[in-house]
PDB file of all heavy atoms in Angstrom:
ATOM      1  N   VAL A  97     -29.471   5.445   7.247  1.00 97.00           N
ATOM      2  CA  VAL A  97     -30.084   6.411   8.144  1.00 97.00           C
ATOM      3  C   VAL A  97     -29.885   5.919   9.569  1.00 97.00           C
ATOM      4  O   VAL A  97     -30.115   4.737   9.886  1.00 97.00           O
ATOM      5  CB  VAL A  97     -31.579   6.601   7.827  1.00 97.00           C
ATOM      6  CG1 VAL A  97     -32.208   7.651   8.760  1.00 97.00           C
ATOM      7  CG2 VAL A  97     -31.794   6.948   6.365  1.00 97.00           C
ATOM      8  N   SER A  98     -29.498   6.810  10.438  1.00 97.00           N
ATOM      9  CA  SER A  98     -29.331   6.453  11.862  1.00 97.00           C
ATOM     10  C   SER A  98     -29.736   7.659  12.707  1.00 97.00           C
ATOM     11  O   SER A  98     -29.853   8.761  12.200  1.00 97.00           O
ATOM     12  CB  SER A  98     -27.876   6.058  12.172  1.00 97.00           C
ATOM     13  OG  SER A  98     -26.990   7.147  11.873  1.00 97.00           O
ATOM     14  N   LEU A  99     -29.952   7.397  13.995  1.00 96.00           N
ATOM     15  CA  LEU A  99     -30.289   8.461  14.909  1.00 96.00           C
ATOM     16  C   LEU A  99     -29.102   9.390  15.125  1.00 96.00           C
ATOM     17  O   LEU A  99     -27.944   8.918  15.245  1.00 96.00           O
ATOM     18  CB  LEU A  99     -30.716   7.910  16.244  1.00 96.00           C
ATOM     19  CG  LEU A  99     -32.029   7.133  16.280  1.00 96.00           C
ATOM     20  CD1 LEU A  99     -32.205   6.506  17.677  1.00 96.00           C
ATOM     21  CD2 LEU A  99     -33.205   8.046  15.971  1.00 96.00           C
ATOM     22  N   SER A 100     -29.374  10.667  15.183  1.00 96.00           N
ATOM     23  CA  SER A 100     -28.321  11.635  15.572  1.00 96.00           C
ATOM     24  C   SER A 100     -28.251  11.619  17.083  1.00 96.00           C
ATOM     25  O   SER A 100     -29.039  10.968  17.749  1.00 96.00           O
ATOM     26  CB  SER A 100     -28.703  13.050  15.068  1.00 96.00           C
ATOM     27  OG  SER A 100     -29.857  13.472  15.758  1.00 96.00           O
ATOM     28  N   GLU A 101     -27.310  12.395  17.645  1.00 94.00           N
ATOM     29  CA  GLU A 101     -27.258  12.485  19.091  1.00 94.00           C
ATOM     30  C   GLU A 101     -28.565  13.031  19.652  1.00 94.00           C
ATOM     31  O   GLU A 101     -29.065  12.542  20.648  1.00 94.00           O
ATOM     32  CB  GLU A 101     -26.070  13.348  19.546  1.00 94.00           C
ATOM     33  CG  GLU A 101     -24.726  12.674  19.348  1.00 94.00           C
ATOM     34  CD  GLU A 101     -24.641  11.306  20.032  1.00 94.00           C
ATOM     35  OE1 GLU A 101     -25.040  11.188  21.213  1.00 94.00           O
ATOM     36  OE2 GLU A 101     -24.175  10.354  19.373  1.00 94.00           O
ATOM     37  N   LYS A 102     -29.114  14.054  18.986  1.00 92.00           N
ATOM     38  CA  LYS A 102     -30.406  14.627  19.424  1.00 92.00           C
ATOM     39  C   LYS A 102     -31.488  13.567  19.339  1.00 92.00           C
ATOM     40  O   LYS A 102     -32.327  13.449  20.234  1.00 92.00           O
ATOM     41  CB  LYS A 102     -30.763  15.847  18.564  1.00 92.00           C
ATOM     42  CG  LYS A 102     -32.041  16.472  18.951  1.00 92.00           C
ATOM     43  CD  LYS A 102     -32.341  17.716  18.113  1.00 92.00           C
ATOM     44  CE  LYS A 102     -33.692  18.318  18.429  1.00 92.00           C
ATOM     45  NZ  LYS A 102     -34.034  19.451  17.552  1.00 92.00           N
ATOM     46  N   GLY A 103     -31.515  12.783  18.272  1.00 92.00           N
ATOM     47  CA  GLY A 103     -32.498  11.752  18.063  1.00 92.00           C
ATOM     48  C   GLY A 103     -32.413  10.658  19.129  1.00 92.00           C
ATOM     49  O   GLY A 103     -33.442  10.129  19.568  1.00 92.00           O
ATOM     50  N   LYS A 104     -31.203  10.345  19.553  1.00 92.00           N
ATOM     51  CA  LYS A 104     -31.006   9.294  20.573  1.00 92.00           C
ATOM     52  C   LYS A 104     -31.629   9.715  21.902  1.00 92.00           C
ATOM     53  O   LYS A 104     -31.984   8.857  22.714  1.00 92.00           O
ATOM     54  CB  LYS A 104     -29.521   9.003  20.740  1.00 92.00           C
ATOM     55  CG  LYS A 104     -28.930   8.248  19.577  1.00 92.00           C
ATOM     56  CD  LYS A 104     -27.438   8.067  19.739  1.00 92.00           C
ATOM     57  CE  LYS A 104     -26.839   7.395  18.492  1.00 92.00           C
ATOM     58  NZ  LYS A 104     -25.376   7.300  18.574  1.00 92.00           N
ATOM     59  N   GLN A 105     -31.779  11.016  22.137  1.00 89.00           N
ATOM     60  CA  GLN A 105     -32.386  11.491  23.369  1.00 89.00           C
ATOM     61  C   GLN A 105     -33.863  11.058  23.481  1.00 89.00           C
ATOM     62  O   GLN A 105     -34.411  11.044  24.580  1.00 89.00           O
ATOM     63  CB  GLN A 105     -32.290  13.028  23.437  1.00 89.00           C
ATOM     64  CG  GLN A 105     -30.902  13.534  23.528  1.00 89.00           C
ATOM     65  CD  GLN A 105     -30.834  15.061  23.462  1.00 89.00           C
ATOM     66  OE1 GLN A 105     -31.858  15.738  23.416  1.00 89.00           O
ATOM     67  NE2 GLN A 105     -29.622  15.589  23.437  1.00 89.00           N
ATOM     68  N   PHE A 106     -34.466  10.733  22.350  1.00 86.00           N
ATOM     69  CA  PHE A 106     -35.895  10.371  22.356  1.00 86.00           C
ATOM     70  C   PHE A 106     -36.103   8.867  22.286  1.00 86.00           C
ATOM     71  O   PHE A 106     -37.245   8.394  22.190  1.00 86.00           O
ATOM     72  CB  PHE A 106     -36.597  11.072  21.205  1.00 86.00           C
ATOM     73  CG  PHE A 106     -36.673  12.577  21.340  1.00 86.00           C
ATOM     74  CD1 PHE A 106     -35.790  13.377  20.604  1.00 86.00           C
ATOM     75  CD2 PHE A 106     -37.540  13.171  22.222  1.00 86.00           C
ATOM     76  CE1 PHE A 106     -35.823  14.758  20.756  1.00 86.00           C
ATOM     77  CE2 PHE A 106     -37.557  14.553  22.387  1.00 86.00           C
ATOM     78  CZ  PHE A 106     -36.692  15.339  21.644  1.00 86.00           C
ATOM     79  N   THR A 107     -35.028   8.075  22.340  1.00 87.00           N
ATOM     80  CA  THR A 107     -35.134   6.625  22.262  1.00 87.00           C
ATOM     81  C   THR A 107     -36.031   6.062  23.340  1.00 87.00           C
ATOM     82  O   THR A 107     -36.920   5.250  23.045  1.00 87.00           O
ATOM     83  CB  THR A 107     -33.741   5.996  22.331  1.00 87.00           C
ATOM     84  OG1 THR A 107     -32.994   6.411  21.198  1.00 87.00           O
ATOM     85  CG2 THR A 107     -33.816   4.486  22.314  1.00 87.00           C
ATOM     86  N   ASP A 108     -35.830   6.442  24.584  1.00 86.00           N
ATOM     87  CA  ASP A 108     -36.634   5.915  25.646  1.00 86.00           C
ATOM     88  C   ASP A 108     -38.097   6.371  25.495  1.00 86.00           C
ATOM     89  O   ASP A 108     -39.028   5.569  25.731  1.00 86.00           O
ATOM     90  CB  ASP A 108     -36.128   6.408  27.019  1.00 86.00           C
ATOM     91  CG  ASP A 108     -34.790   5.781  27.394  1.00 86.00           C
ATOM     92  OD1 ASP A 108     -34.459   4.738  26.813  1.00 86.00           O
ATOM     93  OD2 ASP A 108     -34.105   6.331  28.266  1.00 86.00           O
ATOM     94  N   ALA A 109     -38.310   7.592  25.026  1.00 86.00           N
ATOM     95  CA  ALA A 109     -39.681   8.091  24.821  1.00 86.00           C
ATOM     96  C   ALA A 109     -40.410   7.301  23.765  1.00 86.00           C
ATOM     97  O   ALA A 109     -41.580   6.911  23.964  1.00 86.00           O
ATOM     98  CB  ALA A 109     -39.628   9.566  24.442  1.00 86.00           C
ATOM     99  N   THR A 110     -39.744   7.052  22.602  1.00 84.00           N
ATOM    100  CA  THR A 110     -40.438   6.304  21.561  1.00 84.00           C
ATOM    101  C   THR A 110     -40.712   4.846  21.954  1.00 84.00           C
ATOM    102  O   THR A 110     -41.764   4.266  21.636  1.00 84.00           O
ATOM    103  CB  THR A 110     -39.667   6.382  20.187  1.00 84.00           C
ATOM    104  OG1 THR A 110     -38.373   5.866  20.355  1.00 84.00           O
ATOM    105  CG2 THR A 110     -39.650   7.784  19.659  1.00 84.00           C
ATOM    106  N   ALA A 111     -39.772   4.249  22.702  1.00 86.00           N
ATOM    107  CA  ALA A 111     -39.989   2.896  23.202  1.00 86.00           C
ATOM    108  C   ALA A 111     -41.154   2.841  24.192  1.00 86.00           C
ATOM    109  O   ALA A 111     -41.999   1.909  24.131  1.00 86.00           O
ATOM    110  CB  ALA A 111     -38.705   2.366  23.853  1.00 86.00           C
ATOM    111  N   GLU A 112     -41.235   3.848  25.045  1.00 91.00           N
ATOM    112  CA  GLU A 112     -42.308   3.907  26.037  1.00 91.00           C
ATOM    113  C   GLU A 112     -43.656   4.084  25.346  1.00 91.00           C
ATOM    114  O   GLU A 112     -44.652   3.452  25.691  1.00 91.00           O
ATOM    115  CB  GLU A 112     -42.067   5.042  27.027  1.00 91.00           C
ATOM    116  CG  GLU A 112     -43.129   5.169  28.073  1.00 91.00           C
ATOM    117  CD  GLU A 112     -42.903   6.385  28.997  1.00 91.00           C
ATOM    118  OE1 GLU A 112     -41.809   6.999  28.962  1.00 91.00           O
ATOM    119  OE2 GLU A 112     -43.837   6.682  29.748  1.00 91.00           O
ATOM    120  N   ILE A 113     -43.720   4.997  24.373  1.00 90.00           N
ATOM    121  CA  ILE A 113     -44.945   5.238  23.630  1.00 90.00           C
ATOM    122  C   ILE A 113     -45.391   3.937  22.942  1.00 90.00           C
ATOM    123  O   ILE A 113     -46.580   3.573  22.972  1.00 90.00           O
ATOM    124  CB  ILE A 113     -44.773   6.370  22.617  1.00 90.00           C
ATOM    125  CG1 ILE A 113     -44.593   7.722  23.352  1.00 90.00           C
ATOM    126  CG2 ILE A 113     -45.923   6.449  21.645  1.00 90.00           C
ATOM    127  CD1 ILE A 113     -44.126   8.861  22.444  1.00 90.00           C
ATOM    128  N   SER A 114     -44.471   3.277  22.298  1.00 88.00           N
ATOM    129  CA  SER A 114     -44.789   2.018  21.598  1.00 88.00           C
ATOM    130  C   SER A 114     -45.325   0.962  22.568  1.00 88.00           C
ATOM    131  O   SER A 114     -46.308   0.308  22.304  1.00 88.00           O
ATOM    132  CB  SER A 114     -43.546   1.507  20.881  1.00 88.00           C
ATOM    133  OG  SER A 114     -43.815   0.327  20.195  1.00 88.00           O
TER     134      SER A 114
END
Side-chain angles (χ1 to χ4, degrees):
V97 181
S98 60
L99 292 173
S100 66
E101 287 306 313
K102 181 180 177 183
K104 288 176 185 175
Q105 295 173 5
F106 294 102
T107 297
D108 291 341
T110 57
E112 180 184 349
I113 291 168
S114 180

